[in-house]
Amino acid sequence: MVLVVRDTARYFIRPGCTRLLSSIKILGRDYPTDEETNITEHLLKHTDKLLHMRQSHPLQIVKQRIVEHMQAKYLWNNRSPLFSHYDNITPVVSHAQNFDQLLVPSDHVSRRRQENYFINKDKMLRAHMTCHDQDLLRSGLDCFLSTGDVYRRDTIDRTHYPVFHQMDGVRLFSSWELEEFAKDPKSLK
């Protein structure tokens, strides 16, 4: 990749790479770029599609069926849904959210530039929905579903595409719930 500075704007000279990159806009917010930026114009166009939220789109229909199932099957004692659902979380995350908080070793292959889309040295497009779990847990949630687009640098072919969709489900159990489950695995609700 060749970085050329021209009139204080950055241009990346590589087929398919974003042309003018002093900053890039993702979901209405501008992010500064630097030597770590490796997002292509093609990929950038996908960040605002949000197919999992488009009414009547197949992804939205599947997502909604899973959410409805989980909210109908797993209920609190007062019959309200146990699982809350979050599907409008920004795909822009810090490197710490995507790797460090999940204890991914600093030399792990999944951290490589060839595997991810970096906005700059501090921000990237999430590679998995799990990167939001700690933030949701810290907010006080202990049972939730999260859905969204995730981005990985795959070679595009009939079975691979750099944008796909994931749903995470998280539930924390108390020690007495786990003890009951050990006695009777069917007792867990």
Side-chain angles (χ1 to χ4, degrees):
M1 180 185 321
V2 177
L3 175 64
V4 178
V5 178
R6 189 178 308 147
D7 299 321
T8 70
R10 293 188 178 134
Y11 293 82
F12 285 80
I13 312 301
R14 194 180 87 196
C17 236
T18 313
R19 292 270 179 228
L20 177 62
L21 280 180
S22 60
S23 69
I24 55 176
K25 188 176 291 242
I26 298 174
L27 295 174
R29 183 166 174 208
D30 287 321
Y31 295 91
T33 61
D34 59 24
E35 63 282 347
E36 293 296 313
T37 306
N38 66 350
I39 297 176
T40 63
E41 289 178 15
H42 176 74
L43 184 84
L44 205 51
K45 291 175 187 173
H46 288 282
T47 59
D48 64 353
K49 286 191 176 181
L50 304 173
L51 299 177
H52 65 285
M53 296 176 66
R54 274 196 199 160
Q55 198 64 22
S56 301
H57 189 279
L59 288 169
Q60 186 272 338
I61 293 167
V62 169
K63 174 199 72 172
Q64 196 57 41
R65 290 194 68 187
I66 294 169
V67 170
E68 287 170 1
H69 169 79
M70 296 299 286
Q71 290 182 339
K73 182 166 176 63
Y74 300 99
L75 304 171
W76 291 104
N77 290 337
N78 68 2
R79 308 300 295 157
S80 63
L82 185 64
F83 283 88
S84 52
H85 179 238
Y86 303 90
D87 64 358
N88 198 16
I89 306 171
T90 180
V92 178
V93 298
S94 68
H95 297 220
Q97 285 173 292
N98 203 71
F99 302 118
D100 301 337
Q101 292 178 1
L102 300 170
L103 306 178
V104 176
S106 59
D107 61 346
H108 194 271
V109 66
S110 67
R111 288 182 178 254
R112 294 184 330 187
R113 290 194 62 202
Q114 296 89 337
E115 305 297 324
N116 299 285
Y117 288 103
F118 292 101
I119 296 168
N120 55 42
K121 63 181 173 54
D122 300 316
K123 298 287 184 185
M124 64 183 295
L125 292 175
R126 65 180 168 226
H128 46 83
M129 287 304 294
T130 310
C131 66
H132 298 292
D133 291 354
Q134 275 207 11
D135 294 332
L136 292 169
L137 289 166
R138 278 191 201 112
S139 76
L141 299 171
D142 61 1
C143 193
F144 57 87
L145 303 170
S146 60
T147 308
D149 301 340
V150 295
Y151 304 85
R152 295 197 194 139
R153 290 180 61 97
D154 279 334
T155 301
I156 299 172
D157 61 26
R158 63 186 180 91
T159 61
H160 295 89
Y161 201 69
V163 183
F164 55 101
H165 305 82
Q166 266 185 358
M167 178 180 274
D168 261 21
V170 174
R171 181 174 178 196
L172 299 183
F173 294 93
S174 66
S175 57
W176 66 266
E177 286 175 309
L178 290 175
E179 288 172 17
E180 289 299 313
F181 180 67
K183 293 176 197 170
D184 178 17
K186 293 183 180 180
S187 69
L188 197 58
K189 295 181 181 179

